[in-house]
Amino acid sequence: LDAARYLGEIDFLMAKAQTALEFIAGMPIISENGEVNLRKARHPLLEKALKKEKKEIVPLTATLTPQKHILLISGPNAGGKSVCLKTVAMLQYMLQCGLPVPMHEASTMGFFKQLLMDIGDEQSIEDDLSTYSSHLRNMKHFVRYANAQTLLLIDEFGTGTEPMIGGAIAEAV
């Protein structure tokens, strides 16, 4: 049993090393205060798919600090806003699982006790939920359970409602 555990650890370390080499990834500087400063961050699965098509990924840069802890991304449809959120989510999960992260080595990331996300359309015929109702249900959950040690990512906030109402709900959350 000890040998099997040892081989499992060695296999895990080798997989981490291969991931680091494949995606040119490493460990960011760890922030104690929850600061996130992503530099030249890349979504590993998107990068892999684009390489097959002989295309290059456009890396992203984003910063969140205790003083500036809200980042609003706006732009045209198909402009990459959702991909940006998914990249942040993927990289945060990778870090929290102990995996190397594809970004510039001077990037800063912290650990969060909770990662809460509303990315994508979760409407449900069975639960009689529209897209808007689904978003509201998620916001209720976020307000109830999020705290200072939560990374909260929300995509297309207020979709399905009048923009001014969606903005007011976003401010409240």
Side-chain angles (χ1 to χ4, degrees), residues 19 33 38 54 56 60 76 83 114-117 119 137 141:
T19 300
N33 66 354
L38 305 180
K54 307 233 186 295
E56 292 216 12
L60 70 91
V83 170
Q114 299 180 98
L115 303 175
L116 300 176
M117 292 170 239
I119 301 176
R137 183 190 64 202
H141 177 82

Side-chain angles (χ1 to χ4, degrees), residues 73-84:
I73 304 170
S74 65
N77 289 338
K81 300 176 296 295
S82 295
V83 170
C84 178

Side-chain angles (χ1 to χ4, degrees), residues 24 26 62-63 69 96 101 113 130 132 134 144 149 156:
I24 309 170
T63 302
H69 56 274
Q96 295 210 191
V101 185
K113 293 210 180 209
S130 66
Y132 180 63
S134 173
R144 182 174 288 154
Q149 296 169 338
E156 298 195 22

Side-chain angles (χ1 to χ4, degrees), residues 28-166:
I29 299 165
I30 303 300
S31 165
E32 297 295 322
N33 66 354
E35 181 175 322
V36 176
N37 183 10
L38 305 180
R39 298 174 65 190
K40 298 183 181 178
R42 303 169 331 271
H43 192 295
L45 301 177
L46 176 60
E47 185 173 33
K48 192 173 188 175
L50 289 174
K51 276 186 182 176
K52 284 182 183 176
E53 298 176 15
K54 307 233 186 295
K55 295 179 182 177
E56 292 216 12
I57 195 166
V58 177
L60 70 91
T61 297
T63 302
L64 294 169
T65 67
Q67 298 77 30
K68 295 183 180 180
H69 56 274
I70 295 175
L71 176 63
L72 176 68
I73 304 170
S74 65
N77 289 338
K81 300 176 296 295
S82 295
V83 170
C84 178
L85 275 178
K86 289 176 182 180
T87 300
V88 171
M90 172 70 89
L91 300 183
Q92 188 65 45
Y93 270 126
M94 289 175 73
L95 174 72
Q96 295 210 191
C97 289
L99 296 172
V101 185
M103 60 177 56
H104 190 277
E105 61 204 22
S107 296
T108 304
M109 294 178 78
F111 287 90
F112 295 91
K113 293 210 180 209
Q114 299 180 98
L115 303 175
L116 300 176
M117 292 170 239
D118 183 8
I119 301 176
D121 185 348
E122 303 248 345
Q123 63 180 311
S124 167
I125 294 172
E126 296 87 29
D127 295 333
D128 194 31
L129 285 178
S130 66
T131 300
Y132 180 63
S133 298
S134 173
H135 283 298
L136 285 179
R137 183 190 64 202
N138 291 340
M139 295 313 112
K140 177 182 171 185
H141 177 82
F142 296 163
V143 168
R144 182 174 288 154
Y145 295 106
N147 59 38
Q149 296 169 338
T150 302
L151 177 62
L152 177 61
L153 302 170
I154 303 170
D155 190 23
E156 298 195 22
F157 200 103
T159 296
T161 188
E162 195 269 321
M164 292 300 287
I165 293 172

